[in-house]
Amino acid sequence: MIYSYRCSKVGDGSKGRPHDLYSTRIKNASTDAILTVIVIVLVLGLVKSTVHAVDRSPARNRASGEGPVIEHLEAKVVHYTNEARKLNGLPILEGSAPLKAVARNHSTNMCRTRTFLHESPVFPKGWDTFISRLKHVGVRSGGENIGYRTITSDGDEWARQMVEGWMKGAAHRKNILNAQFRYLGVGVSRCDNDLCYATQIFSSERGRAPIHD
C-alpha cells in the first residue's frame, strides 16, 4: 500500500503564496487613451520578463558557510517531529541519509523552479513525482510533507514553527504520527528571497544511496 498523502501547503501566512512573491503589479494606470496604451505595452513587457524569471532563474548560490546552517535547520525539524511523536506515545523516527537526500533535492527543485508542489512537470524528469523520487533510493512507499517559512536568525524557532504548522494540518499530522513509519529524511533549501523550503519524507524503509540519472 502506498502512503502518499497530498498535503496542503504550509507557509508563512504573512508572505502570501510563493508565486505571489514574484508577481509584479501596476496600479493607478491613467485613463487617458494614449497613456493607457503605453501602460499596457509596458505591463505586457514586464509580465513577459517576470514569467521568464520565474520559469528559468535558478536559486542563488550560497556561501560555503550556508551548509552548517541548513544542517542545523534539518536536524531541528527532525527533533521537533520526534518530540511530537513522543507526546503521542509513538517511537521516534530514525534518520535516513537516502531519504534526506531525496527530501533536500525536492526542496532545492521547488526553490529553483519557484513552485510549491509535491509533483509538477517543471521538476526534472524522474524527480517530478513522489513515487519516482522514492525509486531513486529503492523505497516503495512513504509519505511527504512540504512547507516554507522566511528564514530568521533563530533557526530553532523556525523549525519549531514549521513542525507546529504541519501538526495543525490533518494530512501532515497523519504523516508525522503514522505508527508504520520508522525512518525520516528532512531536506531544507534556502531560496534567493530568504524563504526556506522544507521537505519531510517518511517511510518504513531506510532506502539506499540515491541513483542519479
Side-chain angles (χ1 to χ4, degrees), residues 108-155:
T108 299
N109 281 334
M110 286 193 289
C111 273
R112 184 172 291 120
T113 59
R114 299 183 180 185
T115 55
F116 185 46
L117 297 166
H118 290 277
E119 301 183 350
S120 172
V122 303
F123 299 145
K125 185 178 180 180
W127 296 87
D128 49 349
T129 68
F130 179 56
I131 295 302
S132 68
R133 293 194 292 274
L134 292 185
K135 288 181 179 179
H136 284 275
V137 292
V139 172
R140 294 166 296 178
S141 64
E144 181 180 78
N145 289 342
I146 58 174
Y148 72 95
R149 294 193 67 81
T150 303
I151 189 62
T152 64
S153 58
D154 189 344

Side-chain angles (χ1 to χ4, degrees), residues 66-182:
E66 186 77 354
V69 175
I70 296 301
E71 290 281 355
H72 175 73
L73 294 177
E74 292 169 343
K76 285 298 180 179
V77 169
V78 171
H79 168 75
Y80 286 114
T81 298
N82 279 328
E83 286 297 301
R85 285 177 67 89
K86 287 192 289 186
L87 286 174
N88 286 272
L90 294 169
I92 64 172
L93 297 166
E94 295 182 41
S96 163
L99 295 181
K100 177 178 179 176
V102 174
R104 189 180 284 185
N105 181 282
H106 187 59
S107 292
T108 299
N109 281 334
M110 286 193 289
C111 273
R112 184 172 291 120
T113 59
R114 299 183 180 185
T115 55
F116 185 46
L117 297 166
H118 290 277
E119 301 183 350
S120 172
V122 303
F123 299 145
K125 185 178 180 180
W127 296 87
D128 49 349
T129 68
F130 179 56
I131 295 302
S132 68
R133 293 194 292 274
L134 292 185
K135 288 181 179 179
H136 284 275
V137 292
V139 172
R140 294 166 296 178
S141 64
E144 181 180 78
N145 289 342
I146 58 174
Y148 72 95
R149 294 193 67 81
T150 303
I151 189 62
T152 64
S153 58
D154 189 344
D156 190 272
E157 181 65 11
W158 180 92
R160 184 186 66 79
Q161 291 184 8
M162 180 68 74
V163 175
E164 284 187 354
W166 279 324
M167 287 296 288
K168 291 177 182 177
H172 302 93
R173 182 184 178 91
K174 188 174 183 180
N175 277 338
I176 291 173
L177 301 183
N178 190 322
Q180 296 184 20
F181 292 149
R182 296 177 54 198

